[in-house]
């Protein structure tokens, strides 16, 4: 992983889950920006079982046949159970750091495949995780028993679900399912479809939209301010 925090003081911990291309320089830049806002940020190398980061150097590399072949088995190994086990360990890592304020709750942010991982993180440690932000998250609503939207009741977190317009076009019922699940679970959830395409928040994505990315970032900071 990659851990960055302000030089002095104790700050709320945040676990940042990368998109499918994994931990790379673009995610380190995002983590430094979040740390500058007053957070102790651990960017997960979700593919650590396959080797140290970076597994891929950029999002563009994932779009090649070689990149997809490299990622496929690593991605398939990340079941909900595995992600929750890793997330619980990383919460423990944050709590053991002198840079983290133990009196504040932990946040989680995730992009693309990392979106549902934020919910798994909240379910893994409901005693510690108080906020989860998903940006153009994939697989938040599925037919499976471990679908993230079915797990909201097992958590004590507040949520931000920032949905890409083309994802909404493909699955227009997902936003309604997320809202309904949050209400039934008694969880606070901001669910919004942004006028941008899947991947818009990530600087090295071909559809990066700086205006909408900054707007989503501001909503995340408003969520994390309550930790």
């Amino acid at each position: 992983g990659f851990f960055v925090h302000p030089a002095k003081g104790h700050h709320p911990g945040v676990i940042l889950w990368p998109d499918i291309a994994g931990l790379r320089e673009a995610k380190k830049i995002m983590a430094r920006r979040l740390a500058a806002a007053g957070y102790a940020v651990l960017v997960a190398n979700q593919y650590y079982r396959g080797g140290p980061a970076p597994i891929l150097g950029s999002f563009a590399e994932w779009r090649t046949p070689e990149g997809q072949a490299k990622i496929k088995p690593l991605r398939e190994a990340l079941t909900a159970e595995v992600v929750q086990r890793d997330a619980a360990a990383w919460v423990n890592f944050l709590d053991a750091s002198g840079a983290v304020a133990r009196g504040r709750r932990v946040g989680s942010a995730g992009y693309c495949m990392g979106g549902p991982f934020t919910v798994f993180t909240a379910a893994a440690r409901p005693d510690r995780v108080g906020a989860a932000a998903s940006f153009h998250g994939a697989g938040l609503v599925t037919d499976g028993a471990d679908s993230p939207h079915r797990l909201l009741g097992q958590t004590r977190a507040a949520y931000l679900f920032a949905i890409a317009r083309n994802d909404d076009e493909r699955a227009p019922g997902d936003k309604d399912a997320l809202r309904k699940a949050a209400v039934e679970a008694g969880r606070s959830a901001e669910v919004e479809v942004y006028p941008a395409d899947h991947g818009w928040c990530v600087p090295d994505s071909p559809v990066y939209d700086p205006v909408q990315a900054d707007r989503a970032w501001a909503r995340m900071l408003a969520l994390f301010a309550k930790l």
Side-chain angles (χ1 to χ4, degrees):
F2 175 72
F3 187 44
V4 59
H5 55 79
K8 298 179 181 179
H10 308 286
H11 309 273
V14 173
I15 297 171
L16 193 155
W17 292 97
D19 54 28
I20 198 164
L23 170 53
R24 57 197 188 278
E25 188 58 33
K27 293 300 173 182
K28 292 182 179 181
I29 291 169
M30 297 172 76
R32 293 188 186 101
R33 181 184 179 191
L34 186 54
Y39 296 91
V41 185
L42 173 62
V43 188
N45 171 16
Q46 71 266 50
Y47 301 135
Y48 71 86
R49 294 170 182 83
I55 302 294
L56 301 178
S58 68
F59 190 84
E61 190 175 341
W62 175 76
R63 293 165 68 88
T64 67
E66 296 79 10
Q68 293 185 21
K70 185 183 291 187
I71 290 298
K72 186 175 186 291
L74 301 177
R75 172 67 184 92
E76 290 176 345
L78 296 177
T79 63
E81 180 183 1
V82 167
V83 171
Q84 289 191 52
R85 187 167 64 243
D86 286 347
W90 289 328
V91 170
N92 290 341
F93 170 84
L94 289 173
D95 282 346
S97 168
V100 173
R102 288 294 306 275
R104 305 280 295 275
R105 302 192 73 190
V106 172
S108 183
Y111 299 81
C112 185
M113 67 173 275
F117 292 1
T118 66
V119 181
F120 295 150
T121 302
R125 288 295 304 272
D127 59 317
R128 291 292 292 127
V129 179
S134 166
F135 302 97
H136 38 86
L140 287 164
V141 178
T142 73
D143 294 331
D146 60 357
S147 174
H149 81 291
R150 302 184 196 277
L151 301 181
L152 299 188
Q154 301 177 26
T155 76
R156 285 186 261 163
Y159 291 92
L160 166 63
F161 295 109
I163 302 170
R165 61 186 170 194
N166 53 342
D167 289 337
D168 182 59
E169 289 169 359
R170 283 190 291 267
D174 283 7
K175 59 183 179 296
D176 301 319
L178 287 166
R179 292 188 182 110
K180 183 174 184 289
V183 170
E184 291 177 348
R187 308 314 316 155
S188 171
E190 178 179 322
V191 183
E192 181 178 353
V193 177
Y194 280 66
D197 291 331
H198 185 92
W200 90 84
C201 289
V202 182
D204 66 348
S205 166
V207 297
Y208 176 59
D209 184 326
V211 172
Q212 295 304 321
D214 282 349
R215 191 163 73 86
W217 187 272
R219 298 310 306 150
M220 177 181 67
L221 291 182
L223 179 71
F224 288 171
K226 302 173 184 177
L227 288 171

